[in-house]
Amino acid sequence: MQSGMEKCESTLLEPIAKVEICAPNECTSKVLQLVSGHRGQILGYEGKADWKGWDAVSVYLPIAEMQNLIVELRSQTMGVGFFHWEFDRLQEVPEPLAKRVLLVTGGNGNGNGKSNDQR
């Protein structure tokens, strides 16, 4: 077991949410661009049941990218777009972003660039 642990490498994971974004159908293309700009994965979209002229867009989105989502969504949808989300899974952080995170944290994960015994 110890020899196996010595060969292991760590992997940085981030939480991913499954999000349903609802917006007027004339704003759907703007919503799709918004999701793409936030490292989101578009699963598809369809007309929202019983809401004539509205679409429901289903996406996976890193929770770290959701901070300003409601503000940007309202801006792109004339103030009427909304969303629901729930935790879906953990996923490996893309390598370029993981490198930036490790640079900022000093590689120790505590966010201050110092080792745990230097706090």
Side-chain angles (χ1 to χ4, degrees), residues 29-44:
S29 64
K30 292 178 183 178
V31 169
L32 297 176
Q33 290 173 351
L34 180 65
V35 169
S36 295
H38 286 273
R39 299 188 300 123
Q41 178 185 359
I42 300 165
L43 303 175

Side-chain angles (χ1 to χ4, degrees), residues 11-48:
T11 301
L12 187 59
L13 301 175
E14 68 180 335
I16 303 295
K18 184 169 185 183
V19 184
E20 181 185 71
I21 301 172
C22 300
N25 55 15
E26 64 265 12
C27 300
T28 301
S29 64
K30 292 178 183 178
V31 169
L32 297 176
Q33 290 173 351
L34 180 65
V35 169
S36 295
H38 286 273
R39 299 188 300 123
Q41 178 185 359
I42 300 165
L43 303 175
Y45 65 92
E46 60 188 11
K48 186 156 175 62

Side-chain angles (χ1 to χ4, degrees), residues 56-100:
V57 181
S58 297
V59 304
Y60 288 135
L61 197 63
I63 292 177
E65 296 286 340
M66 293 179 61
Q67 287 181 333
N68 295 319
L69 182 63
I70 191 63
V71 174
E72 294 178 42
L73 178 62
R74 294 279 171 93
S75 174
Q76 296 294 322
T77 61
M78 300 172 289
V80 296
F82 62 95
F83 66 91
H84 303 283
W85 71 277
E86 62 184 36
F87 173 80
D88 189 69
R89 67 184 186 281
L90 292 174
Q91 178 176 298
E92 187 173 345
V93 174
E95 188 175 338
L97 182 58
K99 286 180 180 179
R100 277 191 290 167

